[in-house]
Amino acid sequence: MLPVDDTELYVRDTGGPGRPVVYLNGAYADQKHWKRVIADLGSDYRHITFDERARGKSKRSADYTFEACLRDLDAVLTARGVEKPLLVGWSYGGIIGWHWADRNPDRVQGLVTVDAFPVGLTGEAGRERIRKMFRQWRLVLPIAARFGLGARMSADEHADVNIELNEIAPASVPVLDRLVCPVRFVMATGDSLGSEAGEMEQGRKVLDQVLAANPNIKVSAKVASNHSKILRNDSPAVALAVRELAVSLGTVQ
């Protein structure tokens, strides 16, 4: 357990001399969702996973903000002695990766982003839709947490995390435009829980302008799985994106 601010994070590190890969989870997910990717990549890499605050085996906190997640990543890297990781982030974790790399351009080897894109529900209508959704789910959230799909937060705290993300994501286009490290996207298909018909596919199209603006960013694959199931059903595509990026980077730094 790693003490950070008012909480403790559950961190796992396979160790070894391989290229350090740090995995960043979805907004309410825990680290076990990466097990298939890690198994596929094997011992050629050093795998570091951790549960964010109130997720998985990590402790609760008074601060579940995006900035707190960035501080947690800093704390994990410092504690594990990793100077320059390759970051692999799914959904919320992908957006954390963009912003951390933007703030620390000399400290990151590259990014693999798994189905995150710079789109969000904004304005009061968007905020109210998110609050309503999590209030409707309030009874199932504790059960979801047991399966690594929810946090040990109230429905309102879940909503606050999602509302903040939906403000940050669409404002991230300039962040993506100026990233200097190589970035590979693995995109899902179709919609997911909480989205309306065609909504997520429309969101993924926003990446077209990012791809046109920044030659460091490429799409490695678009797979059949939806947003929620991509790490379970299409983990080989994520592992392949990591391998391809690692090969392009050359020897371990």
Side-chain angles (χ1 to χ4, degrees), residues 91-111:
S91 190
Y92 186 92
I95 299 170
I96 289 287
W98 305 342
H99 283 260
W100 192 89
D102 181 52
R103 298 184 189 189
N104 301 275
D106 297 326
R107 294 181 58 199
V108 62
Q109 294 187 43
L111 305 177

Side-chain angles (χ1 to χ4, degrees), residues 10-14 21-25 31-32 34-35 38 47-51 76:
Y10 179 64
V11 183
R12 298 186 68 183
D13 182 353
T14 61
V21 180
V22 178
Y23 299 85
L24 307 173
N25 308 329
Q31 59 184 276
K32 69 173 174 281
W34 296 107
K35 64 182 181 181
I38 291 171
H47 306 282
I48 300 171
T49 56
F50 65 100
D51 294 331
V76 169

Side-chain angles (χ1 to χ4, degrees), residues 4 6 15 23-24 52 62-63 68 70 81 88 94 97 108-109 126 151 153 175 204 207 217 226 250-251:
V4 184
D6 65 343
Y23 299 85
L24 307 173
E52 264 297 350
D63 187 355
L70 291 169
V88 183
V108 62
Q109 294 187 43
M153 303 176 186
V175 172
R204 293 179 184 109
L207 278 178
I217 300 176
N226 69 16
T251 56

Side-chain angles (χ1 to χ4, degrees), residues 213-240:
N214 189 341
N216 296 313
I217 300 176
K218 301 180 186 302
V219 173
S220 177
K222 183 163 185 177
V223 298
S225 299
N226 69 16
H227 182 79
S228 300
K229 297 179 179 178
I230 189 169
L231 292 181
R232 184 178 70 190
N233 293 347
D234 279 297
S235 59
V238 179
L240 180 60

Side-chain angles (χ1 to χ4, degrees), residues 7 10 23 26 43 85 87 102 116 139 148 158 160 168 182 187 200-201 233 235 240 246 249:
T7 187
Y10 179 64
Y23 299 85
S43 59
L87 299 177
D102 181 52
L139 297 180
H158 276 84
D160 287 343
I168 290 170
M187 305 305 297
M200 295 190 81
E201 281 296 294
N233 293 347
S235 59
L240 180 60
L249 291 167

Side-chain angles (χ1 to χ4, degrees), residues 10-208:
Y10 179 64
V11 183
R12 298 186 68 183
D13 182 353
T14 61
R19 187 184 302 274
V21 180
V22 178
Y23 299 85
L24 307 173
N25 308 329
Y28 314 108
D30 64 21
Q31 59 184 276
K32 69 173 174 281
H33 293 276
W34 296 107
K35 64 182 181 181
R36 291 176 176 83
V37 176
I38 291 171
D40 195 328
L41 290 171
S43 59
D44 289 340
Y45 298 83
R46 176 184 174 187
H47 306 282
I48 300 171
T49 56
F50 65 100
D51 294 331
E52 264 297 350
R53 304 173 185 213
R55 287 81 149 174
K57 296 181 180 180
S58 292
K59 304 297 185 183
R60 290 186 172 92
S61 172
D63 187 355
Y64 298 121
T65 62
F66 192 82
E67 288 295 323
C69 290
L70 291 169
R71 292 198 303 275
D72 290 348
L73 176 54
D74 273 322
V76 169
L77 295 174
T78 299
R80 302 316 304 161
V82 176
E83 296 182 0
K84 201 167 184 180
L86 192 161
L87 299 177
V88 183
W90 167 42
S91 190
Y92 186 92
I95 299 170
I96 289 287
W98 305 342
H99 283 260
W100 192 89
D102 181 52
R103 298 184 189 189
N104 301 275
D106 297 326
R107 294 181 58 199
V108 62
Q109 294 187 43
L111 305 177
V112 173
T113 299
V114 183
D115 209 42
F117 32 91
V119 174
L121 298 172
T122 58
E124 187 51 42
R127 291 190 287 272
E128 185 52 36
R129 176 177 159 185
I130 292 167
R131 291 190 189 100
K132 180 180 179 181
M133 178 176 65
F134 280 100
R135 286 170 189 156
Q136 290 173 336
W137 292 349
R138 67 188 183 280
L139 297 180
V140 302
L141 289 173
I143 299 170
R146 297 178 188 175
F147 293 93
L149 295 170
R152 295 188 309 284
M153 303 176 186
S154 68
D156 285 341
E157 287 172 328
H158 276 84
D160 287 343
V161 169
N162 202 275
I163 288 168
E164 183 188 37
L165 175 63
N166 275 270
E167 296 292 336
I168 290 170
S172 298
V173 170
V175 172
L176 285 163
D177 284 349
R178 62 179 177 252
L179 287 177
V180 295
C181 67
V183 183
R184 299 293 180 269
F185 276 82
V186 179
M187 305 305 297
T189 301
D191 292 299
S192 191
L193 186 65
S195 66
E196 297 180 354
E199 201 167 51
M200 295 190 81
E201 281 296 294
Q202 285 298 116
R204 293 179 184 109
K205 291 180 181 178
V206 176
L207 278 178
D208 291 344

